[in-house]
Every structure is written in C-alpha cells, then in structure tokens.
Amino acid sequence: MTQATEPRWLAFARKYIGLHEVVGSGNNPEIVQMWEKLGLPFRDDATPWCAGFVGFVFESVGIKSTRSGLALSYQNWGVSLKAPAVGCVVTFKRVGGGHVGLVVGKDQQGNIMVLGGNQSDAVNIKPFATARVTSYRWPAGEPLPTGALPVVNSNGVVSNNEA
C-alpha cells in the first residue's frame, strides 16, 4: 500500500513522525496542543500521550476519537476487526496500563509495525509483538479495509522482500 492509498488519518499521522518530548523541564508545545484539541486537562509532554496522539489524529481529520487520555479507551471504540489492517487502531496491554497506535504493516518477523506517539518519547514507527495485542479497531462509518497487511521497514515503507 502506498501512502497515496492509505486512510487519510494515517497519512495525517505520518506528518508527525519525529515529533518528540522536550528533555528536561520544558514541554513540546505541539504535544500540549494535542491535549488542548481533545479538551483534556494535561499541559505537559511527561503525561503518557499515546492516546492523546491517536485522538488528535482522528479529531484533526474529522473523526470522533474517544477523547480520552487512556490508551485502552480504544478497545471498544469504532468497529472491531478480526485481523490487523493498514490504518487500524491497535491496543496493547502493558504493566501499569496500555498503549495505542496505528498499524502501518508488519515486519519480517511478523510483528505489528505501529505508528504511534510516546513510543520512546516520540512519534515513530516501531514493531510490537502480536501476543500483546488486545484489539484491532476501525473508525465507525469509514469504508472497511481490504487486502493483506504489507511487510514494511522501520520507516513504514513497503519492503521489497515480502515475508
């Protein structure tokens, strides 16, 4: 799948790859603006912001998010998918909470490649084990995805070496 055929929210989210927290006592104003857009009370980049990023992305393209700062709030949002699809929301459990991001593909080992915020304190694409997945969700009212999940590299670009 090329970027031109990706869901509009995924194409929008890609624009933020490289955005990162401010080291030390400062805060990245773009992350603070994400909280503000969602009407949430956080005013820093130290609060876990993966759900803030996903919510900001959807709200920015005209899709209602959960408007929550909790990653696992997306487990019941939208429409459930049985398998991952490019652009779907994926939720994960972790010690102390969860994580949420957008699927861009899979890697050569079969891990889900996720574009998300607050991944090593930045917006980037990272692999996650499928064993950690708690849900795959799709925005209600949007055409359902079709096709196989592509193998992508760490930049989220389709690999020439399909697994």
Side-chain angles (χ1 to χ4, degrees):
M1 178 173 280
T2 64
Q3 288 180 333
T5 60
E6 289 180 336
R8 68 186 185 281
W9 58 88
L10 187 57
F12 179 85
R14 283 184 183 275
K15 296 175 187 176
Y16 288 86
I17 291 174
L19 178 74
H20 55 86
E21 295 177 13
V22 172
V23 177
S25 62
N27 295 296
N28 186 314
E30 287 184 89
I31 296 170
V32 173
Q33 287 172 353
M34 290 176 189
W35 292 127
E36 290 171 355
K37 184 166 187 80
L38 296 173
L40 295 172
F42 312 113
R43 296 294 176 259
D44 60 58
D45 61 14
T47 300
W49 52 277
C50 61
F53 175 72
V54 169
F56 168 77
V57 166
F58 281 117
E59 297 285 337
S60 295
V61 300
I63 297 171
K64 186 177 178 185
S65 70
T66 64
R67 296 181 180 160
S68 171
L70 300 174
L72 297 180
S73 69
Y74 282 91
Q75 286 187 129
N76 298 309
W77 173 86
V79 177
S80 178
L81 297 177
K82 292 181 182 183
V86 173
C88 78
V89 171
V90 58
T91 59
F92 303 94
K93 282 203 174 178
R94 64 174 177 79
V95 175
H99 184 62
V100 63
L102 302 169
V103 172
V104 297
K106 62 184 177 179
D107 68 9
Q108 293 283 347
Q109 292 73 42
N111 295 303
I112 299 294
M113 296 296 282
V114 178
L115 191 167
N118 203 31
Q119 296 182 164
S120 301
D121 300 331
V123 175
N124 53 45
I125 297 172
K126 290 201 171 280
F128 288 82
T130 57
R132 293 184 53 203
V133 172
T134 60
S135 71
Y136 299 110
R137 309 297 294 188
W138 192 258
E142 293 293 324
L144 290 173
T146 59
L149 202 60
V151 175
V152 299
N153 64 22
S154 61
N155 293 318
V157 177
V158 175
S159 170
N160 292 330
N161 304 341
E162 293 285 323

